[in-house]
Amino acid sequence: MKKYIIVAFLILFCDEISAQIVQGKVLDDATSEPIENSKVLIVGSEVVVFTDENGAFQLTIPDYPVALDISALGYKSIRYAVVPNGDHIIRLKPASEKLSEVIINGTLISKSLQKSPASISVLNSGDLQKKDVSNFAQVFNSVPGVYVNQGALNTTKLNIRGIGARSQFSTNRIQAYFNGIPLTTGEGELTIDDFDAEAISKIEIIKGPTSSVYGAGLGGVINMYAGNAEVDKTQVELSSQVGSFDTYKNTIAASHGSKNTSLFATFSDLESDGYRNNGSYKRQSGLINAAIFTEDGNKLSFLANFTKLKAFIPSSLNEEDYLNNPEKAAFTWGSSKGFESYERGLLGVSYMHHFSSKFTNLTSVFVNFRDAYEPRPFNILDEERVATGTRTKFNLKLPIFKFESELSFGGEYFREWYAMQTFENLYRDFEDRGSVLGTSLSNNEQDRNYANFFGQLNLELSKKLNLETGFNLNTTNYSLRGLFVEDEIDQSGDYKFETIFSPRIGLSYEVENGKNIYASISHGFSTPTVEETLTPEGQINTDLKTESGINYEVGFKGNWLNNKLYTEVTLYSIQIKNLLVAQRISEDQFVGINAGKTNHNGIETTIKYSFDISPRFTMQPYFNGSFNYFEFEEFINREQDFSGNKLPGVPKSTINTGFELNYGNNISLYTNFLAVGEIQLNDANTLSTENYQVLDIKMRYDFKIFSFFDANISAGINNILDEKYASSVLPNAVGFGGSAPRYYYPGNPRNYFVGVGLNYVF
């Protein structure tokens, strides 16, 4: 009997010796934050462990080799091969299959979309590929509350909840960041169409005033994130697409990922003759996104993006030409062969450091530049812009009055140098030559800088009730130097806007599992541009005030039918005072005034459903809608009282609906139907556009050539119904020299595209 006991003991002892202890950490690939409660399963067994608050796990394996399945709520599951003596730092990418589980990184404190007390829309790389990839900006029309005015590929204006709708030619009052690097200029203008769908992994759109996080940005903020490499994979992808109007786009992307490094690079060449005369377009752009990870979860990142553009400008049309000859360019723009060209780049370095499992810091430094030349009929503009800055953020987890909480605080500094000259355009003196540089008309330099100091506290008041509160303190000032002496107008001087305190508070309550209601109040502001501060005599208007507003919002986010159906409903009201109005006093001169107040009231809804038609067929129908009532509460301009009128430049409603149909992992069909309500064309509400509907369709087929070689073929039709509509409008257009005002930018008629892609995995 003793012999059997000894043998059994030796067997157990030997098994224990042969068993191996494996330790590791599971981190968020985007933020390097630890992921708590990640599930770690030994493949082929029932052995399961979960990570702790530091993302750490430990388990015993019988022997090498062994594979682990790693999964976590809101992330893509991966299979991880365990090797002896390895540093088991496992990184999970955010998932998008269940919208409510997506983790929002653009807020000061990362949180799931479901529990965020704010209206936030998320677009992932898959959403971008459902559209025509030659027109990236159109994807924003699928977001409720966002409307895209697009006169051409290089003439894009976004407005969020009607804010920015009265802008003449560009997007303003919206902040945007690319991997944490500001894209919005120091004057608040944004160019979103420089980027490629293939270079982006995710977009987060936070709607309504977000000044408690990002400073000036009354409409909201757009956070875009560059593509990343997959762990333990090296691949090269080539894609090409051709379409109507002699449009083609060629793209090459390469990536290499390991446990400690990530390198992603892409380059694209996009050219088009355009639907309209004087509408040719050529853009080349490249991006590099690299990261190095340490054993402690620290992360050093580098981002570089460069764009070279030359795009001719057909400009807007009067009503007669819009209805009868939409292909033509505006006469003066066609005669001068007006265009814009520029080289633009941004560079940024950021470092994420974990002082401990509860205390982290993320610091970024950046520089971006733009060198532009734009011949217009009224003059030729030559401008240069260079901006530098830094942003740092500390996050600390600590209990407050026995409540679980997280505190975030930090600051951002941005400085921009801008130089511009204008020259006579002598195109009338040189027939058929287009624009010809003449004598100098103006020469100015601007230095603009701002500083934001921010803080946010998240309190878990109970398992169901969460509180968010935060603030931002902003200082903005600029100096102007006039270098043109012939006009005898001295614009030189230093100017400063009042310091602005922007608070925010939000509550989120889980009514039941997977269903949350929330409410929030936030303050926002936007400072005037230098151009808006100039008087008709060219002097600085020091009495001009910052535009500000308060956003009141309540909403519901919920899953139904075993998480197959996701719904979201938001009701909001934004009251804006010191409304900045750009009065047009000449073909290229605007004067800003504070003219009153506006009310922005509306409802936004999102519905997304996923179900299986058969074991091979799946369908995901969706519905995104916004219904609004935007009006001037008080608005008297040049002795005309527009109080009570609707806000021009924004539709009274938008509906974006369609479905995605998949057959296995090979065949996908995407449909999208956009219905846009009428748009007022002027403050007096005497003119408006008609409702219009645009239906798009795209099909894609993915297949394998070899086990390591994938391919895809795609084709699509935009505007299947061949609808005639205005894809953009110019609010309050004024006719000069007896000509009719030019309100309209014609949308493209029915057009087609075909694409092919090859992906090689090393």
Side-chain angles (χ1 to χ4, degrees):
M1 183 67 180
K2 291 181 180 180
K3 292 180 181 179
Y4 290 118
I5 294 174
I6 292 172
V7 170
F9 175 78
L10 289 173
I11 291 173
L12 291 173
F13 181 73
C14 291
D15 285 345
E16 190 65 28
I17 290 177
S18 63
Q20 307 291 326
I21 303 297
V22 174
Q23 295 178 325
K25 282 188 175 182
V26 181
L27 306 177
D28 185 301
D29 183 62
T31 65
S32 291
E33 292 285 336
I35 304 175
E36 188 177 359
N37 291 325
S38 300
K39 181 180 178 182
V40 183
L41 168 69
I42 297 178
V43 176
S45 75
E46 297 182 357
V47 178
V48 177
V49 297
F50 293 88
T51 58
D52 60 20
E53 62 181 9
N54 302 318
F57 68 90
Q58 177 178 303
L59 51 75
T60 302
I61 63 173
D63 200 0
Y64 297 102
V66 70
L68 306 177
D69 277 343
I70 317 292
S71 59
L73 185 65
Y75 293 88
K76 295 180 181 179
S77 301
I78 66 168
R79 179 159 293 186
Y80 179 82
V82 178
V83 296
N85 303 318
D87 297 324
H88 305 302
I89 304 297
I90 302 165
R91 301 181 181 278
L92 299 184
K93 292 181 179 292
S96 57
E97 286 78 11
K98 295 181 180 178
L99 189 58
S100 60
E101 297 176 2
V102 171
I103 303 299
I104 304 301
N105 302 121
T107 53
L108 291 178
I109 300 173
S110 298
K111 181 177 283 190
S112 70
L113 176 66
Q114 181 92 38
K115 296 183 179 180
S116 298
S119 181
I120 304 174
S121 294
V122 179
L123 300 169
N124 57 56
S125 58
D127 295 322
L128 305 186
Q129 295 301 318
K130 296 173 185 177
K131 303 283 187 177
D132 179 354
V133 295
S134 67
N135 191 351
F136 161 68
Q138 278 297 323
V139 72
F140 290 96
N141 263 331
S142 64
V143 177
V146 179
Y147 180 67
V148 179
N149 280 278
Q150 190 174 49
L153 289 176
N154 62 312
T155 310
T156 302
K157 298 187 300 178
L158 273 70
N159 70 74
I160 299 179
R161 294 180 173 175
I163 297 173
R166 299 177 81 255
S167 170
Q168 296 295 305
F169 305 110
S170 61
T171 299
N172 62 22
R173 291 162 175 76
I174 296 173
Q175 284 288 330
Y177 290 79
F178 196 90
N179 274 25
I181 299 175
L183 298 177
T184 305
T185 69
E187 290 197 314
E189 292 193 349
L190 170 65
T191 302
I192 203 73
D193 39 56
D194 278 347
F195 297 91
D196 290 298
E198 296 89 345
I200 297 172
S201 63
K202 185 172 73 167
I203 303 173
E204 297 172 359
I205 302 102
I206 307 174
K207 290 169 281 186
T210 55
S211 296
S212 64
V213 181
Y214 294 102
L218 195 55
V221 67
I222 298 171
N223 282 296
M224 300 195 296
Y225 299 91
N228 293 293
E230 296 185 40
V231 178
D232 295 329
K233 183 178 285 189
T234 300
Q235 54 188 335
V236 175
E237 184 171 0
L238 303 174
S239 62
S240 182
Q241 179 175 297
V242 296
S244 301
F245 320 123
D246 288 329
T247 301
Y248 72 82
K249 182 179 184 181
N250 297 316
T251 304
I252 179 171
S255 64
H256 170 73
S258 67
K259 296 181 179 67
N260 300 315
T261 60
S262 174
L263 175 63
F264 175 85
T266 181
F267 175 81
S268 72
D269 181 15
L270 172 61
E271 294 191 27
S272 177
D273 287 345
Y275 162 58
R276 300 176 59 196
N277 299 332
N278 203 59
S280 64
Y281 177 95
K282 180 177 177 59
R283 174 172 59 82
Q284 295 175 314
S285 60
L287 176 139
I288 297 175
N289 184 31
I292 300 174
F293 309 96
T294 69
E295 295 181 10
D296 299 324
N298 301 326
K299 178 181 179 182
L300 177 66
S301 302
F302 171 78
L303 177 74
N305 187 83
F306 181 78
T307 300
K308 183 178 181 180
L309 170 84
K310 183 174 183 179
F312 286 81
I313 301 173
S315 196
S316 53
L317 296 176
N318 60 39
E319 185 174 15
E320 182 179 353
D321 288 334
Y322 163 68
L323 293 174
N324 301 311
N325 194 8
E327 300 94 340
K328 72 176 293 186
F331 176 76
T332 55
W333 283 89
S335 300
S336 63
K337 299 180 182 178
F339 66 88
E340 68 168 332
S341 64
Y342 57 77
E343 294 180 350
R344 172 181 174 177
L346 61 86
L347 300 169
V349 178
S350 62
Y351 181 65
M352 163 72 77
H353 184 74
H354 291 76
F355 297 101
S356 69
S357 61
K358 298 180 181 292
F359 188 37
T360 61
N361 171 255
L362 174 62
T363 298
S364 302
V365 294
F366 62 87
V367 59
N368 60 50
F369 64 87
R370 185 176 184 268
D371 186 2
Y373 183 76
E374 184 177 351
R376 293 94 61 92
F378 36 84
N379 63 34
I380 294 176
L381 173 65
D382 189 3
E383 59 180 353
E384 293 181 62
R385 191 189 304 269
V386 178
T388 61
T390 183
R391 181 179 176 94
T392 187
K393 180 187 71 165
F394 295 88
N395 280 47
L396 176 64
K397 295 180 180 179
L398 73 167
I400 297 180
F401 304 117
K402 298 183 180 180
F403 297 123
E404 290 293 326
S405 68
E406 185 168 355
L407 174 67
S408 181
F409 59 92
E412 177 182 9
Y413 178 76
F414 178 97
R415 180 162 188 169
E416 182 177 72
W417 172 80
Y418 174 71
M420 62 90 74
Q421 295 185 68
T422 59
F423 302 86
E424 285 184 301
N425 192 337
L426 305 179
Y427 73 94
R428 293 184 180 90
D429 300 332
F430 298 88
E431 190 175 353
D432 297 329
R433 279 188 56 184
S435 296
V436 177
L437 190 70
T439 59
S440 178
L441 298 174
S442 67
N443 188 0
N444 294 293
E445 289 185 359
Q446 301 172 16
D447 282 304
R448 192 176 182 102
N449 62 79
Y450 64 76
N452 292 317
F453 303 94
F454 50 80
Q456 181 175 316
L457 177 65
N458 285 15
L459 275 175
E460 189 176 302
L461 301 176
S462 70
K463 290 185 177 181
K464 292 181 176 292
L465 182 62
N466 288 271
L467 169 70
E468 282 188 13
T469 183
F471 75 93
N472 183 290
L473 196 66
N474 175 274
T475 61
T476 298
N477 54 74
Y478 67 92
S479 63
L480 186 63
R481 185 183 178 196
L483 303 178
F484 188 69
V485 297
E486 283 82 354
D487 59 6
E488 298 181 353
I489 298 174
D490 185 12
Q491 298 175 334
S492 301
D494 297 323
Y495 306 93
K496 182 179 181 180
F497 295 106
E498 60 181 345
T499 300
I500 297 178
F501 177 75
S502 293
R504 177 181 180 272
I505 187 170
L507 281 169
S508 176
Y509 180 72
E510 187 178 38
V511 180
E512 59 179 84
N513 186 34
K515 298 177 179 62
N516 289 64
I517 57 174
Y518 74 90
S520 68
I521 303 175
S522 58
H523 176 270
F525 68 95
S526 290
T527 54
T529 66
V530 172
E531 185 180 54
E532 288 172 332
T533 62
L534 297 179
T535 66
E537 295 75 29
Q539 302 294 335
I540 301 297
N541 178 10
T542 57
D543 295 327
L544 202 60
K545 297 179 181 179
T546 297
E547 191 175 68
S548 63
I550 298 179
N551 178 62
Y552 303 91
E553 188 171 310
V554 295
F556 169 81
K557 304 174 185 179
N559 289 309
W560 311 83
L561 305 177
N562 295 321
N563 293 331
K564 292 184 178 181
L565 174 66
Y566 177 76
T567 59
E568 192 172 313
V569 179
T570 304
L571 288 81
Y572 65 88
S573 179
I574 308 174
Q575 278 81 51
I576 297 175
K577 65 179 183 178
N578 297 324
L579 176 70
L580 284 169
V581 175
Q583 291 183 338
R584 190 168 188 170
I585 60 176
S586 70
E587 196 170 4
D588 187 39
Q589 189 177 5
F590 299 86
V591 174
I593 62 170
N594 293 117
K597 303 176 182 179
T598 56
N599 287 332
H600 299 245
N601 304 313
I603 301 174
E604 297 165 0
T605 183
T606 294
I607 302 173
K608 188 176 182 180
Y609 184 51
S610 178
F611 64 96
D612 298 332
I613 300 176
S614 71
R616 295 286 291 170
F617 274 107
T618 61
M619 176 177 275
Q620 293 89 39
Y622 61 89
F623 176 92
N624 298 310
S626 60
F627 310 91
N628 52 62
Y629 190 71
F630 303 152
E631 66 171 1
F632 296 110
E633 180 182 343
E634 297 177 11
F635 184 21
I636 299 176
N637 188 9
R638 293 176 175 174
E639 299 181 354
Q640 295 187 62
D641 190 352
F642 300 122
S643 302
N645 286 0
K646 297 175 183 177
L647 198 68
V650 61
K652 67 177 183 180
S653 64
T654 58
I655 293 175
N656 187 277
T657 186
F659 63 85
E660 175 183 345
L661 182 65
N662 296 295
Y663 178 75
N665 296 319
N666 301 107
I667 301 176
S668 299
L669 175 67
Y670 312 110
T671 67
N672 183 261
F673 180 77
L674 175 66
V676 177
E678 70 173 5
I679 301 174
Q680 298 296 327
L681 294 176
N682 55 30
D683 296 333
N685 291 177
T686 57
L687 291 172
S688 65
T689 65
E690 296 182 356
N691 302 345
Y692 71 85
Q693 300 82 37
V694 176
L695 176 62
D696 301 331
I697 188 170
K698 180 179 179 179
M699 179 173 284
R700 174 168 167 146
Y701 175 55
D702 289 87
F703 58 96
K704 281 188 176 294
I705 299 176
F706 304 107
S707 60
F708 50 84
F709 200 0
D710 299 331
N712 66 78
I713 299 172
S714 60
I717 308 174
N718 297 319
N719 193 7
I720 293 178
L721 304 177
D722 202 21
E723 181 85 347
K724 190 169 189 175
Y725 67 101
S727 58
S728 183
V729 298
L730 185 64
N732 297 306
V734 177
F736 293 95
S739 60
R742 297 187 284 111
Y743 288 104
Y744 307 93
Y745 289 87
N748 289 341
R750 184 188 299 118
N751 58 94
Y752 310 85
F753 61 90
V754 177
V756 61
L758 301 172
N759 184 51
Y760 183 83
V761 180
F762 293 89

